[in-house]
Amino acid sequence: MTVTATSVDEPEQLEPQATPVSRVSRWVGRLLPAVVAALSGVLLYVSFPPRTLWWLALPAFAGFGWVLRGRGWKAGLGLGYLFGLGFLLPLLVWTGVEVGPGPWLALVAIEAVFVALVGAGVAVVSKLPGRPVWAAALWIAGEAARARAPFNGFPWGKIAFGQADGVFLPLAALGGTPVMGFAVVLCGFGLYEVVRLVVENRRTGEAVRRGTAAVAALSVAVPLVGAFASRALVSDKAEDGTATVAVIQGNVPRLGLDFNAQRRAVLDYHARETERLAAEVKAGKVARPDFVLWPENSSDIDPFANADARTVIEDAATAIGAPISVGGVVERDGRLYNEQILWDPEKGPVDTYDKRQIQPFGEYLPLRSLIGAINSEWTSMVRQDFSRGTKPGVFTMDGAEVGLVTCYEAAFDWAVRSEVTDGAQLISVPSNNATFDRSEMTYQQLAMSRVRAVEHSRTVTVPVTSGVSAIIMPDGRITQRTGMFVPDSLVQKVPLRSSQTPATRVGIAPEMLLVLVAAGGLGWAIGAGVRGRRAGGV
């Protein structure tokens, strides 16, 4: 019997299913840039004080450049936001020490938007020749925006403030924090370009274009050469003689926001430390100071309205026999002011300076009605808004011109420069960090003061209620410092200087120039993209 074969339909051809390995590879490809962006932000944070790992900023920006190269603006926006979160979440954790995580997270969420916009811009210009230059200029443009908005800005975390121990510090004297920050970021993005070109050359064997290689090499070399050349601008020599200055740290009764509940104790502590110093001077153990600097909030009791507070300050000034700059909270015409008061041992209060850059959510509450509806506890913490001063503060103290920059103001370029252009031969940054516990905030602020010393070639003193108080030379060196939450005093002969650095003279010009460079790069990249799409459609 013959058996005939029956036809059997061929099975439908199915698309090959992805193997587990290919699925993993795809997910790794998607997640790796996000992870690298976030970790690069963390690396940038680690480069900031109190650590002295300033050089980590370079690989941080190299990693940021790698994840953004060749991507669209939307991807750049997301990756930039992750970079910003990785950097700012740990950097600003001190803002929630006493008030909880809500304000901290809200601040970081807002500030990271600026970094996200920078990321979008860097992605757009990453296809241009000379991309490290455009990218670095965009970062400085982002810092310029953060220093101005919202609520008059929050420049904490400017790249320059993480470089007080680094080789780029002399550039502060050349062009201020914008030039210094631009050099660091340019070097980081340039480092990525150098590594990328070396890897591509080894992989393909093709020669690198000379122009591309030159831009990459110069992006690393020029900032470093410029920094070393700018060392000639840095000096700690006296130009107008010297002054013996005393910095008083009285300490506070307890940490946290409730230290304000014992305002009289804080005043007494600073008076007591001044009188202890006076006894050492009388015994010949310490040189007599020409003037004495107390911190911000050293007298939260208004000495103009309270006779007992006035008496305490007068007794301290008489004991030390020198004028004292007292940090007070003063009410005048129904308004509160964070005020520095020049107290003469014979004449009493003779001059004042009202803080001009007051801190949102600390000294005044923006959107008070809206915030009160969200959380009434926040409005109770700032019951009455402080008012702003309108004029620079330069006290004449025993013949020396002392510029006052109160705490938060040290983060703002204009607030420090205005004191120097108004004649300050020395800068004092009276501060109160007691509300931030033992966080990194005080070290971050101390680094700012070191940068300001070099930027304007002035001695900078930092009297703080609870520490770290310090004396900083015009070359950025800390010569004396206190511990935290201990009473102490620092006495030292320091140089007085009146010459102006290039950074002091040019002021805002370098920052505005870099903003224009960033805008030019974006315009070029967007124009090139539009022309490319039109050509592709023909």
Side-chain angles (χ1 to χ4, degrees), residues 135 148 167 192 213 239 250 256 314 351 354 381 450 473 519 521:
R148 291 164 174 81
V167 298
Y192 162 65
E239 295 175 333
E314 285 179 343
D351 202 356
D354 297 323
M381 281 188 262
R450 294 179 63 192
M473 289 293 99

Side-chain angles (χ1 to χ4, degrees), residues 233-246:
L233 301 173
V234 180
S235 173
D236 64 352
K237 293 182 179 179
E239 295 175 333
D240 303 300
T242 61
T244 300
V245 58

